Amino acid sequence: MDLPRSLAGSRFGGRKLVVITGTSSGLGLATTKALLRTDKYHVIGGVRNMEKMKVVAEEEGISMDHFTPMHVDLASFASVHKFVEELENFRGDRPIDRLACNAAVYQPTLDYPKWSEDGHEQQHQINYFSHFLLTSKIMPMMEGSDDARICMLGSVTGNDNTVGGGGVYPIADLKELEGLELGCKKPIAMMDGYNFNGAKAYKDTKLACMMTCNMLHERFHRSTGIAFSSVYPGCIAETPLFREKRPWFRKLFPVFMKYITGGYVGEEEAGQRLFQVLHDPRCTKSGVYWGWNGGPREGREDSLEKGGQITGAGGAGGGWDSIFENDQSDKVLNKDLMMRLWQYTTEITGAEWPEAYQPKSPCPTLKVIDAVTSVLGVLEERSRMEASRQGEGASIVGDRSVPREERRKSLEQMLLALDKTPRDQKQLEEDMLLTSGMAPEASKDYELKEPIKRSAETAVAVMPELDDPVPEEPKGPPQMIPGHELLGDTPVVFQPQNVMTMARVGQPLSEVASQADVFIRYKCKKGECKTCAVNIDGKWVCACQTKIESVAPGQHFGVRVRPVSEKEKRASKAAFFSPESVKDGFFNNAFGMLGFVKEGIASDDDFEIRMARERRIQELTAKKAGAAFKNLRGEQKASSEEKDDPKKKLVVPAAFGLIGFMVAVLQPLNV
């Protein structure tokens, strides 16, 4: 790492240098793999646990030739400074071409905050403050790049002109930034200066990241040429971001997002989306909040046969060309608040820098859900605010003529009186175990002795000959879908669509078909019902059980899909709030409800495998480190209540089902 700069830069060849935080799991890992597959980038991964990153790299087959992990603990400003120094020496005479501020933690489960070594609430420092500081340090390193880009991960939860951001309490709202103005330091946990709410803290940090990205664009795009953008790749419901949630939530939340909201996106597809923002020439535009697969929710009537997938709503599918410039809410574009956010955050982080209002979305679903939930949201927020402003200190905090130090002390006294941190050390330890983020104990025998690797073999679920209509002759050579050239190393051609995409060896065929927008029906997803039959090399196989095989140079992996009649596809949509629309919305959402309940109650082998993989990574990391693995949130022990009580497995899906039913009734099909 201590190479002379003149030597360090020369070893990257023609590859661009990309810095991504949080590359050991989730979106950061998927994006890293997508970048490395192009052979056009050298990725520098900022990670807190170097041993874990090495284990993950071995498990995923990541070559270290063009990937360099570097230690950074975003819960420490000192660690950020050290990371920047190491990066400066490592890059040599080469500019940094990309920065993706990806790493984040989500801590919604406790009634009290957890603090960083600098005295800030962890979510605020990790998700926002440290990325703010890191950006200020890396920007000067981008001088000389012909295509510099900085991307911050936003979220639908921070953008309140959407259903996910404006219809689910708590709502992201920085208010007057009183907490941030007064240092946002223990015991001041929230930027708005009110009592702590873990879920709101996460949403506030995402709102702050999006606002900061807009300020960077206004201040520095013209003078530096850097393209600043924020991005929401979709709800990655299976990501370790939700590691602090209970096992039942981690199992059912992906199913809920698939069948009820339609916002589900897998890690691999989300990684392709962030990769696109860092790679696609169309994404050089600055000041944009990028989204995918926008528009109304469609295809609900086929959700049971497509694994819950519908189109629209920012969910899965849509492909490379579904990217669009997403709308930002009034809060994100509030320039007055944006300037104060910038000023106060600069003071807190010590960052050094070189010398909008938007109409709300007319989405009817947002209006309906807002009308239903606004009363609860107002009451909950009023209760939190009133509890944080009791006693003589309330008037002092709001009086800006009073010296800042006196206001800060008054606010600290009020918040300390509300602090719910247990005084009992045993209770505190139990809370930390409960919210540790460690993979829960297996409910089945899923102990993994070998690494989980994608098989390169096609499943042997060969079916008897089916009625096969005479195939249409291809009309010319297959057409590569624009932007799919770098999605893998194996060409895959779908007939009779006559389209080509690229895939990775071992990638599930169902995933590749979705990527190419090729319709295949699914029902049992076990290879038993024959519904998803496709023809490969003259044999009928189950698409749900088939993976992409390697092919000889110059050849392609050919798949012939059974044609679907137009009667099986919805040809028209009714006008919103018409009787026909209400009827369609109710019955088609009922399909989503049926799929959710069916898949939620059934045994979920995929969930168990995901948890087993997390446990394996933790065990190998502990072995490599030579000590018991401990993460930022402590260690987790599955509660005996969750392990032993079979009734809970039915109660939770039923509760989710009730919520989903309410959403189904309120959400017509074409919204």
Side-chain angles (χ1 to χ4, degrees), residues 37-54:
R37 281 196 294 268
T38 68
D39 204 31
K40 294 185 177 182
Y41 299 96
H42 188 103
V43 178
I44 298 135
V47 294
R48 183 177 56 86
N49 191 324
M50 292 288 284
E51 287 77 17
K52 178 183 177 183
M53 184 70 254
K54 292 174 184 177

Side-chain angles (χ1 to χ4, degrees), residues 64-193:
M64 305 304 283
D65 293 340
H66 305 302
F67 174 69
T68 303
M70 289 187 184
H71 177 263
V72 60
D73 185 351
L74 295 174
S76 164
F77 291 145
S79 180
V80 173
H81 285 288
K82 186 176 180 181
F83 172 79
V84 169
E85 291 175 5
E86 187 176 1
L87 179 64
E88 179 71 21
N89 291 328
F90 178 77
R91 73 183 180 96
D93 58 0
R94 297 290 296 277
I96 301 297
D97 296 283
R98 307 282 193 274
L99 169 62
C101 298
N102 163 71
V105 294
Y106 178 45
Q107 300 174 346
T109 55
L110 293 182
D111 292 332
Y112 55 90
K114 290 182 276 187
W115 306 97
S116 71
E117 72 172 42
D118 296 300
H120 302 291
E121 192 273 328
Q122 285 185 3
Q123 293 176 98
H124 282 79
Q125 179 152 354
I126 294 170
N127 301 1
Y128 175 54
F129 293 153
S130 287
H131 280 131
F132 187 94
L133 175 62
L134 183 64
T135 300
S136 73
K137 295 295 184 183
I138 289 184
M139 270 180 57
M141 301 185 198
M142 291 183 153
E143 184 176 353
S145 173
D146 59 356
D147 183 16
R149 307 184 198 182
I150 293 179
C151 180
M152 291 192 171
L153 267 292
S155 172
V156 68
T157 62
N159 203 33
D160 72 351
N161 65 347
T162 63
V163 174
V168 181
Y169 179 83
I171 310 299
D173 189 353
L174 303 179
K175 302 194 188 309
E176 296 302 315
L177 289 172
E178 289 178 342
L180 191 66
E181 179 191 2
L182 299 178
C184 210
K185 209 164 188 177
K186 187 176 183 180
I188 305 173
M190 305 290 287
M191 284 189 278
D192 64 9

Side-chain angles (χ1 to χ4, degrees), residues 320 447 466 553 587 589 598:
W320 191 268
E447 296 303 321
L466 303 174
F587 285 106
N589 277 284
K598 177 181 177 182

